[in-house]
Amino acid sequence: MTGLPAYRVWALPGIPEVRTGDDIAKLIASAATADGLPGLADGDVLMVTSKILSKAEGRVVRADDREAAIDAEAVRVVARRGPLRIVENRLGLVMAAAGVDASNTPAGTVLLLPEDPDASARRIRTGLRDTLGVNVGVVVTDTFGRPWRSGLTDVAIGAAGVRVLDDLRGGTDAHGNPLSATVVATADELAAAGDLVKGKAAGLPVAVVRGLSHVVVPDVGAGAGDGAGGADEGARALVRDAADDMFRLGTSEAVREAVTLRRTVREFTDDPVDGGAVRRAVAAAVTAPAPHHTTPWRFVLLESAESRVRLLDAMRDAWIADLRGDGFTEENIARRVRRGDVLRKAPYLVVPCLVMDGSHTYPDARRNASEREMFVVAAGAGVQNFLVALAGERLGSAWVSSTMFCRDVVREVLGLPADWDPMGAVAVGRAAVAPSSRPVRDADAFVSVR
């Protein structure tokens, strides 16, 4: 069997209970050179449980209320079920309880993740090079659950000297088929291999993998581990960017996050908008509540530049005529028209319309007015669903009221039935700039209890 691909993995015994201020690299070096052990060699990879780094770095905190510690470490809640919270922590990791651990620590305390796991890994790598003269890779690990899969596994949250990703795109498989999406999470695979021999209860927080030296970055001295050669990115490279995360809003709890993400966008890129994504948003819109089991929504999709320009030019002319009739100066009119150009900046427009099919007619004006108000409210609910669904598709939007001021013009230009009432227009596209921070609103300020 000589020559076949293989590796060896073993747990490193002899690591004592770690305390604040301990040098983890020296503890590992001492344990690795004990009698009867194979020691460390160039090309080895060490998997180091994050908890011993947390202890050494003083990340043990008093916390009679573990939930408060989770709150402090979390930047957003992704999902919640009973007391369990899946959150994104300040490192960008999405995990249960922000990585706050109440095990293997004295009662009344909790362990927080290392402040910078990549930096922790670099210190261990440098320390082992200085102490033992070896070039090794280091992976800092922590235990994660996984969507759609039962059970836990270790993954990499920090790394140094290791090619954390193996990008196979551009190559071919054994049949000559091009590989267009294959990027292997090498550091996570190493972490899982190490977890098979490590163990919390056994007091074995470090594992060694030998035989995979091709994943270790060449040592270039003091700069090793800080990005030398462009191959040592650290485990941060494993965290998927929000813009590329298809499952960022994947649970019912995350719908609330989509509502938060729904922001008015006034500057758009030139990127084309996927009409399929807009239609999926319309499908969400028409689930809104409506009176009398009606369907009072219609959405006119302006997918061609010609249709958008034709409508906006006609609306502009009607608006200018109205402003002149109101006595505004030409300078003031020009300024207002420029301010309303958000629709022209968008690569895609949608005109939501209200129809009163199925509405009731009453003998008095008061009830007829209330009947229309019900339908208008239903139209607004549909548009809100639409905007939130667009946010879930990673599309920005701006709902402006302009078409409501020239409904006849809109109907004529777009060839709409006489009973379709335009309810504004929605600009859709990719946001060109990040939205400004939104002031926090206290929900209690909008609540009245009787």
Side-chain angles (χ1 to χ4, degrees), residues 43-290:
D44 287 348
V45 184
L46 282 83
M47 270 57 65
V48 182
T49 301
S50 64
K51 296 303 178 284
I52 65 171
L53 295 172
S54 297
K55 293 177 178 180
E57 296 172 11
R59 298 284 286 166
V60 184
V61 299
R62 298 294 309 179
D64 296 325
D65 182 3
R66 181 169 177 249
E67 295 303 307
I70 297 171
D71 289 340
E73 290 292 294
V75 298
R76 71 181 180 100
V77 176
V78 177
R80 183 194 300 269
R81 181 166 297 168
L84 176 63
R85 279 188 287 171
I86 307 298
V87 305
E88 179 184 348
N89 67 14
R90 56 184 178 71
L91 298 171
L93 303 172
V94 176
M95 58 194 307
V100 176
D101 196 344
S103 63
N104 285 315
T105 186
T109 67
V110 295
L111 290 172
L112 311 181
L113 291 178
E115 190 76 35
D116 183 346
D118 284 333
S120 301
R122 289 194 295 269
R123 285 192 292 270
I124 294 173
R125 187 189 190 209
T126 300
L128 291 172
R129 183 194 65 229
D130 295 344
T131 303
L132 301 179
V134 292
N135 174 38
V136 298
V138 177
V139 176
V140 177
T141 71
D142 201 75
T143 304
F144 272 50
R146 299 156 299 159
W148 310 295
R149 305 284 289 179
S150 295
L152 305 172
T153 186
D154 263 18
V155 303
I157 66 167
V162 175
R163 293 181 173 87
V164 297
L165 293 167
D166 187 8
D167 191 347
L168 303 180
R169 292 172 298 181
T172 57
D173 64 15
H175 298 279
N177 300 310
L179 299 174
S180 59
T182 304
V183 181
V184 178
T186 304
D188 282 346
E189 293 184 328
L190 289 165
D195 193 40
L196 292 173
V197 296
K198 290 191 292 152
K200 289 183 178 181
L204 298 171
V206 178
V208 182
V209 169
R210 178 166 294 173
L212 300 176
S213 59
H214 63 281
V215 306
V216 177
V217 174
D219 192 344
V220 292
D226 60 4
D232 191 4
E233 303 170 278
R236 179 69 193 181
L238 293 162
V239 178
R240 193 184 299 275
D241 290 337
D244 298 325
D245 188 351
M246 294 176 64
F247 306 103
R248 188 173 177 84
L249 305 175
T251 69
S252 59
E253 292 90 346
V255 171
R256 290 192 289 273
E257 185 73 13
V259 174
T260 302
L261 287 175
R262 193 222 59 75
R263 302 290 303 278
T264 296
V265 173
R266 300 189 180 280
E267 298 288 339
F268 298 93
T269 69
D270 294 331
D271 296 340
V273 172
D274 175 15
V278 177
R279 286 166 174 79
R280 289 191 294 272
V282 170
V286 299
T287 66

Side-chain angles (χ1 to χ4, degrees), residues 322-341:
D322 284 345
L323 292 173
R324 284 175 176 158
D326 293 337
F328 286 96
T329 66
E330 293 301 313
E331 180 181 357
N332 198 306
I333 291 172
R335 186 165 58 249
R336 285 171 175 264
V337 169
R338 284 195 303 271
R339 201 161 55 232
D341 267 352

Side-chain angles (χ1 to χ4, degrees), residues 23 47 55 86 89 172 312 337 360 366 387 397 403:
D23 187 325
M47 270 57 65
K55 293 177 178 180
I86 307 298
N89 67 14
T172 57
L312 295 177
V337 169
H360 295 175
R366 175 182 59 81
L387 300 178
S397 63
T403 67

